[in-house]
Amino acid sequence: MALSAFHTPETIEQAVALLAGDPSARPLSGGTDLIVQMQSGRSEAGAIVDIKRIAGLNGIRSDGDGFVIGAATPCTALKEDAALVAAWPGVVEAANLIGSVQVRNRATMAGNLCNASPAADSVPALVAAGATCLIAGPSGEREVPVEAIPVAPSKTSLQAGEMVTAIKLPKRSAGGSDAYLRSIPRTEMDIAVVGAGANITVDAEGVCTSARIAIGAAAPTVVLVEDAGKALEGSGFDDAAMEAMAQAVRNACKPIDDKRGTIEYRIAMAGVLAKRTVMIARERAGGTA
Amino acid sequence: MNAPEKKDSFRLVGTRPVRPDGVEKVTGKAVFGPDYKAANMLQGAILRSPHPHARIRSVDTKKAAALPGVKAIVTGDDFPNLEDAVVQMGEAAGNIADLARNCMAVGKVLYEGHALAAVAATSEAIAQEALGLIDVDYEVLPHVTGILDAMREDAPLLYEDNFTKGLDEKPEKPSNVSMRIQQTQGDTEAALKSAAATVTARYTMPPVHQGYIEPHACVVTWKADGKLDVWCSSQGAFNVRSLVATILNVEMGHVRVMPLEIGGGFGGKTTIYLEPVAALLSKKAGRPVRLTMDRADVFRASGPAPGAVVDVSLGADAEGKLVAADVEFRYSAGTSPGNETHAGLISSVGHYRIANFRVTGWEVLSNMPKHAAYRAPGAPQVNFALESALNDLAAKLGIDPLDMRIKNAVVPGDMTMHGTPYGEIGLLECLEAAKAHPHYSASLGPNQGRGIACSYWVNYGGPSTASVAIGEDGSVMVIEGNPDIGGSRASMAIMAAETLGIDYDNVTVTIADTGSVGYSMLTGGSRTTFATGKAVIEAAQTVIDIMRARAAKLWGCSVDDVAWSDGEARCTGGEKAGETLSIGNIAAKADSTGGPISAESSVNPNDFLPGFAVHICDVDVDPETGHASIGRYTAFQDVGRAIHPSYVEGQMQGGAVQGIGWALNEAYLYNEDGKLDNPGFLDYRMPVASDLPMIDAVMIEKPNPAHPYGVKGVGEVPIVPPLATVAHAVSNATGSPMRDLPLTPDRIYGLMQSKA
């Protein structure tokens, strides 16, 4: 399909109207997935709606004690926000593993989410963080958990005319922190063979009071492994609790064999990475003292 | 950094001046293959097969031809009907008809991505749209990509008329095996039986790509006078000229090839893919035509290096003296034969003294792109197997692996596998330097392992021409025909300036087109600084003789009374004794003393010497994930004498890095449908900078006595040892032998799991 128009709306309402009026139109923020897919023929956008000129979509603001990250905010900008880095280091590090520096100067977490790849690096960290996203559409605004957006590889739950306008991170609870790790054959410039995000809270005695573990590239979508979190809650991160957590992660894996990894390797690495990620988050939370 | 390192003997040889092409390249101004534009140029596009193997029943181009903006369409039918003929191609001989059919399929497509039609149009978009309007009726045929699968008796055949060459009797049935070669010495079987210790194992690796950043591209105009101009980047404009002229059946002198800057070749640009197609499009359209590959085209349709399956049996006596080697290797050549199997044979065991050996090579065709040369083509695969087996054998005997090699290394006077004695080679010196280096004795931590390996590459000499011309103001021009792929402009300028006794900055080096300088073989075989350097030095010496004669004329003395030193003529006898004339003085009076001053020299030296390299590598293996990371890497090499040490070290480092990539992650991954699953740099994983430590390059200078400045070829041998070096390190870190490349994390993890 030939590209017929490149729109640069200045309000969310205009953008929604453009998307609703043309089912072939696709929103563009960084374009690091969309443009590559258009060039390779994988995406047939009939029109592009560039959301970067919409006021308020590029930047991070606080929302009480939480954060609202505009959908057009590039990943590298996340690193510049000291409060965000202090509260959600795992989310920031996950978003800054995507592609290369040049890619991250354009790429956004909202785009990473809406591309609906099970291997999206920022998504397990966002899911573990309990992030939500704001969606604008023809029938108004709604807010859903991040994990509700991808439903299958390259498929989202967004309805016609809808677009993600922001990602919201909650208030960082005391004694909590997060982390994200991925496995790739090289050291950078790669797609996760498997990824794991952990977000935990530790009390003054070093006991885990809450834990959310999410894994990427191990199932058709990023998976929040609730049993893994439960296995840690109430524990002091002893070997038995950690192994139970890792086993829950492995149980939740439904990966495929492909050029980037085998089923067996992905399942095994999901467990290894989940353990390592939890230990990094625990150290950041001050729980190892 | 420009201070000479050998003040006693040379002024410039051994210094590190800035490369002449550097500024244009770092400022992004240099014109590479895909940058070139000609006036009134059309953009071409190529239709490539989606099938790995199919008969072309028909190609209907009518709809495409009717699209406004389409100016020409070419299919295999437009190519001259070539007889099978063996001609010089790149670094070796090959069948020109195979090469033509690789540029454009005739009758059958033989791999996914095989070109079968091309369009030239007024824009890229129109050309692409036209490709979609070409109707091809394919009869899809069964395909085969794996080496052992292709060798099976019931394998789908690429050619009904391919009968294995080199067997004792011509086979009755055709097969995909194009050739068997064998070299034997002594009684290998008996010697293996009586050996104190033996190792027998199989080693495998998939094809890998050269991975140059610049994709193939060209602009060709077939002019109204019947002559052709070609602009492209390649490893040899003269090679492009001869291949284009032969495929198109035109006179060689009617094809003029203009070399553009080359963005990496590594052997992969010693052949052609696009130029004859662009030429035929241009002939039909009457305008210049540009063709470019995108990255996926480069991976699917330009030459990978052969994959390999190698069996080795190696035996030694109790002291570690090798007594026998039985090596049987099978190389995948893609759709047509090449030279790697021969090169693999002579690179296999010749760096050790072994009384008994039997080396057998098989070349296997399959539905993959026609392979192309890759840096020491054919050597790394068989070397990986031999060196890995040698490391296992040393371990079995309880002998240090470097000592094992020192006991068996060839020295000057020993015989090569190709039948001539080794000259002034420095293998033993490399091994001893490695043994004495602090890296070899540094302590290792848990999950760390150290590996070593050693290698040989034959190198080459070959025909070269260069001219040296003196400008009216005394400036010095060197004109040569070898594309600069590794800093050769700098080394030519150094050698010319050293010979003439002038400053490096006073010499300008031009890589000329095929109409502007005499013939040079391409840049390959690690030959250029050696052979073309000889031509430059000879031409400079002739120019000195001419200038001495001119000075004698100006002084009115005998030429015998004119010496040449420090870049000027010095009168040593008669009335003018003690006077001097600079090059500028002589040039200013050139018209009155005999005309312009220049000399061209053509050489074909065969007194080149081979290269040897010894590498040491430390890896850390993550015991939970199987990730191997290179912690430390040191490369030792017999470099003859380094004309420009930075570019010699650069070759050593670059070769090591490409070999590390080959060892760890690079692989052609074909799926069950015979299609390449990873035609891009995302999933064809070459090392990135953060994957690697600094590669320490230790140059061992043992000059080649047959070269005025001692040059030996240095560019290829450093890619050979890393495969076995890295595998040895990972084996030592994990306790599991690593015999199948690449050593991806999941493979290492799997081997560690199966051991546990």
Side-chain angles (χ1 to χ4, degrees):
Chain A
M1 184 185 295
L3 187 66
S4 65
F6 188 95
H7 303 289
T8 54
E10 292 180 355
T11 66
I12 290 171
E13 292 70 29
Q14 286 170 3
V16 166
L18 287 162
L19 290 167
D22 179 358
S24 77
R26 295 282 307 273
L28 170 128
S29 48
T32 56
D33 284 315
L34 180 60
I35 292 171
V36 173
Q37 289 165 8
M38 287 171 68
Q39 280 182 336
S40 72
R42 263 181 63 207
S43 173
E44 295 197 327
I48 283 178
V49 179
D50 181 0
I51 64 169
K52 286 196 290 296
R53 299 192 190 188
I54 299 173
L57 286 204
N58 188 348
I60 303 158
R61 62 188 152 80
S62 69
D63 169 26
D65 294 318
F67 299 87
V68 181
I69 301 165
T73 310
C75 293
T76 42
L78 305 177
K79 291 197 296 183
E80 307 299 316
D81 189 310
L84 180 68
V85 172
W88 297 103
V91 170
V92 175
E93 74 189 346
N96 283 283
L97 287 172
I98 299 165
S100 63
V101 172
Q102 292 90 334
V103 166
R104 295 192 291 270
N105 284 340
R106 305 293 291 178
T108 66
M109 287 201 295
N112 199 221
L113 176 64
C114 295
N115 187 47
S117 162
D121 283 309
S122 69
V123 178
L126 287 169
V127 169
T132 59
C133 58
L134 295 177
I135 297 165
S139 45
E141 191 175 78
R142 62 191 181 104
E143 181 173 349
V144 301
V146 157
E147 55 268 34
I149 297 292
V151 294
S154 304
K155 273 210 166 75
T156 70
S157 58
L158 293 173
Q159 301 301 303
E162 284 191 328
M163 60 177 268
V164 170
T165 59
I167 288 172
K168 288 176 71 175
L169 282 163
K171 178 187 175 186
R172 164 54 73 197
S173 47
S177 196
D178 69 335
Y180 174 79
L181 288 174
R182 65 172 183 181
S183 173
I184 55 171
R186 290 185 294 203
T187 47
E188 60 179 327
M189 304 283 289
D190 220 326
I191 305 264
V193 175
V194 65
N199 172 30
I200 61 164
T201 314
V202 185
D203 70 14
E205 277 72 51
V207 173
C208 178
T209 54
S210 73
R212 282 170 67 91
I213 314 296
I215 51 172
T221 61
V222 169
V223 179
L224 174 65
V225 190
E226 290 179 2
D227 288 348
K230 284 188 194 132
L232 288 179
E233 283 165 12
S235 82
F237 302 94
D238 54 282
D239 289 352
M242 289 294 283
E243 183 47 39
M245 181 277 299
Q247 189 56 50
V249 164
R250 290 191 288 264
N251 290 345
C253 291
K254 293 185 191 66
I256 54 168
D257 267 324
D258 71 3
K259 62 191 171 189
R260 297 193 181 121
T262 60
I263 289 170
E264 297 73 24
Y265 188 68
R266 284 186 153 121
I267 292 174
M269 287 311 104
V272 170
L273 291 188
K275 282 184 178 178
R276 292 183 179 184
T277 310
V278 165
M279 294 321 272
I280 294 168
R282 180 191 179 208
E283 194 182 331
R284 286 177 179 164
T288 52
Chain B
M1 83 191 269
N2 288 348
E5 291 174 0
K6 294 175 193 61
K7 279 199 179 97
D8 300 342
S9 43
F10 299 112
R11 292 181 311 111
L12 296 171
V13 167
T15 62
R16 303 167 184 252
V18 170
R19 61 196 296 159
D21 47 315
V23 172
E24 287 290 285
K25 283 178 176 165
V26 299
T27 55
K29 303 275 171 34
V31 177
F32 290 88
D35 298 326
Y36 187 77
K37 290 187 174 75
N40 208 26
M41 176 180 90
L42 296 171
Q43 180 64 47
I46 290 185
L47 184 67
R48 296 182 179 278
S49 169
H51 307 294
H53 197 191
R55 192 160 281 117
I56 305 167
R57 289 203 192 98
S58 66
V59 180
D60 183 346
T61 60
K62 282 194 287 296
K63 272 184 279 177
L67 185 70
V70 170
K71 300 296 181 186
I73 299 178
V74 160
T75 68
D77 292 342
D78 293 294
F79 275 66
N81 196 8
L82 292 168
E83 300 281 315
D84 287 348
V86 173
V87 302
Q88 181 69 26
M89 272 186 208
E91 293 168 88
N95 185 340
I96 194 73
D98 286 344
L99 186 64
R101 284 190 288 260
N102 193 51
C103 293
M104 192 122 292
V106 175
K108 286 210 299 187
V109 286
L110 295 168
Y111 55 94
E112 184 214 11
H114 198 164
L116 73 149
V119 175
T122 50
S123 76
E124 167 85 38
I126 293 171
Q128 290 294 339
E129 191 183 346
L131 292 186
L133 297 174
I134 296 175
D135 285 326
V136 184
D137 184 9
Y138 293 103
E139 178 193 346
V140 176
L141 301 170
H143 67 272
V144 62
T145 53
I147 295 178
L148 298 177
D149 289 341
M151 292 180 86
R152 287 167 58 111
E153 258 194 39
D154 59 352
L157 291 181
L158 272 74
Y159 309 101
E160 298 292 337
D161 60 350
N162 179 72
F163 295 89
T164 309
K165 289 179 183 144
L167 296 176
D168 298 334
E169 287 173 33
K170 185 183 170 180
E172 285 173 15
K173 288 200 291 185
S175 75
N176 291 319
V177 180
S178 45
M179 180 175 68
R180 186 197 82 141
I181 53 173
Q182 190 172 62
Q183 189 170 339
T184 61
Q185 178 174 296
D187 187 341
T188 301
E189 281 177 30
L192 279 171
K193 269 191 199 127
S194 62
T198 59
V199 162
T200 297
R202 168 166 288 190
Y203 303 85
T204 70
M205 66 190 72
V208 296
H209 199 270
Q210 295 82 350
Y212 32 82
I213 300 298
E214 175 203 46
H216 298 270
C218 67
V219 175
V220 181
T221 180
W222 197 314
K223 298 183 288 188
D225 62 4
K227 295 178 180 174
L228 288 84
D229 285 345
V230 179
W231 293 266
C232 64
S233 83
S234 74
Q235 288 177 239
F238 288 93
N239 180 55
V240 173
R241 178 180 74 168
S242 72
L243 297 178
V244 168
T246 312
I247 285 176
L248 297 176
N249 202 14
V250 298
E251 227 176 278
M252 232 172 254
H254 290 183
V255 180
R256 186 173 169 203
V257 180
M258 268 57 73
L260 304 172
E261 286 300 336
I262 178 167
F266 312 109
K269 288 175 185 161
T270 59
T271 187
I272 58 169
Y273 300 95
L274 302 173
E275 289 80 358
V277 181
L280 289 170
L281 287 168
S282 174
K283 188 180 189 184
K284 285 193 177 185
R287 289 166 64 175
V289 173
R290 173 160 79 174
L291 279 173
T292 47
M293 286 194 188
D294 66 16
R295 183 62 55 195
D297 294 341
V298 170
F299 275 110
R300 289 199 188 99
S302 80
V309 175
V310 189
D311 293 316
V312 176
S313 290
L314 203 57
D317 66 18
E319 281 72 51
K321 186 86 193 125
L322 291 171
V323 295
D326 193 359
V327 180
E328 184 168 22
F329 64 94
R330 305 147 192 91
Y331 281 0
S332 59
T335 59
S336 49
N339 194 48
E340 274 72 355
T341 311
H342 288 285
L345 185 133
I346 63 160
S347 308
S348 58
V349 300
H351 48 308
Y352 299 120
R353 296 166 148 177
I354 309 180
N356 306 284
F357 62 77
R358 175 172 60 194
V359 183
T360 312
W362 301 88
E363 182 181 64
V364 184
L365 308 179
S366 65
N367 296 111
M368 297 190 309
K370 176 179 169 59
H371 77 286
Y374 181 20
R375 206 167 191 166
Q381 297 94 329
V382 71
N383 178 271
F384 164 61
L386 194 277
E387 292 291 311
S388 295
L390 184 53
N391 284 330
D392 284 352
L393 190 58
K396 214 168 176 175
L397 288 163
I399 298 175
D400 174 272
L402 270 176
D403 285 339
M404 184 89 180
R405 286 165 173 84
I406 289 168
K407 280 174 196 285
N408 292 285
V410 288
V411 297
D414 284 342
M415 200 53 87
T416 63
M417 281 190 79
H418 48 95
T420 53
Y422 282 113
E424 285 300 303
I425 58 168
L427 172 57
L428 206 53
E429 288 86 339
C430 289
L431 290 163
E432 281 163 355
K435 184 111 198 275
H437 194 277
H439 183 172
Y440 197 60
S441 48
S443 61
L444 290 168
N447 303 312
Q448 294 181 340
R450 178 165 297 145
I452 70 135
C454 156
S455 70
Y456 156 86
W457 177 246
V458 59
N459 289 335
Y460 198 57
S464 280
T465 302
S467 66
V468 173
I470 306 298
E472 301 93 300
D473 62 352
S475 53
V476 176
M477 272 71 64
V478 171
I479 302 133
E480 47 130 343
N482 278 107
D484 178 356
I485 63 174
S488 61
R489 282 185 184 90
S491 60
M492 297 305 157
I494 288 174
M495 289 186 280
E498 181 79 47
T499 306
L500 288 162
I502 59 175
D503 287 348
Y504 171 82
D505 291 333
N506 290 354
V507 179
T508 300
V509 180
T510 298
I511 315 295
D513 68 78
T514 58
S516 303
V517 67
Y519 177 84
S520 284
M521 188 187 164
L522 48 63
T523 299
S526 300
R527 62 174 290 277
T528 299
T529 306
F530 170 76
T532 306
K534 275 196 164 192
V536 168
I537 295 162
E538 272 193 23
Q541 285 165 340
T542 306
V543 161
I544 290 172
D545 289 343
I546 295 169
M547 291 191 290
R548 283 175 56 230
R550 301 298 178 85
K553 222 172 200 175
L554 290 169
W555 281 320
C557 68
S558 158
V559 74
D560 296 335
D561 288 333
V562 181
W564 189 266
S565 60
D566 297 331
E568 54 189 15
R570 186 174 305 275
C571 192
T572 57
E575 285 173 28
K576 310 273 181 165
E579 286 191 19
T580 60
L581 285 168
S582 69
I583 295 179
N585 299 144
I586 297 168
K589 303 227 167 98
D591 284 356
S592 62
T593 57
I597 300 165
S598 72
E600 184 166 280
S601 177
S602 294
V603 299
N604 188 11
N606 62 5
D607 43 11
F608 57 92
L609 286 173
F612 292 91
V614 178
H615 289 189
I616 307 174
C617 170
D618 294 352
V619 298
D620 280 78
V621 177
D622 185 325
E624 289 185 317
T625 70
H627 281 77
S629 61
I630 309 289
R632 186 172 180 183
Y633 202 101
T634 310
F636 304 83
Q637 189 174 322
D638 170 17
V639 302
R641 184 175 279 121
I643 300 299
H644 191 305
S646 297
Y647 301 145
V648 174
E649 289 160 354
Q651 292 290 335
M652 293 168 67
Q653 291 162 334
V657 168
Q658 286 189 308
I660 290 168
W662 197 335
L664 287 181
N665 277 307
E666 294 182 40
Y668 260 46
L669 304 175
Y670 280 98
N671 63 26
E672 284 179 3
D673 299 328
K675 298 185 183 189
L676 187 61
D677 234 356
N678 56 339
F681 282 136
L682 177 59
D683 286 303
Y684 183 88
R685 293 187 179 81
M686 294 172 64
V688 296
S690 55
D691 291 340
L692 296 160
M694 185 64 183
I695 309 293
D696 288 322
V698 180
M699 297 184 292
I700 314 295
E701 292 200 302
K702 186 162 186 186
N704 176 0
H707 187 280
Y709 300 130
V711 170
K712 292 177 182 172
V714 298
E716 290 172 291
V717 74
I719 200 178
V720 185
L723 284 62
T725 304
V726 172
H728 188 210
V730 175
S731 300
N732 285 336
T734 60
S736 297
M738 298 289 150
R739 292 176 178 145
D740 302 291
L741 301 182
L743 300 174
T744 53
D746 57 342
R747 170 168 279 158
I748 295 174
Y749 176 82
L751 287 168
M752 288 193 300
Q753 289 296 109
S754 60
K755 182 172 170 264

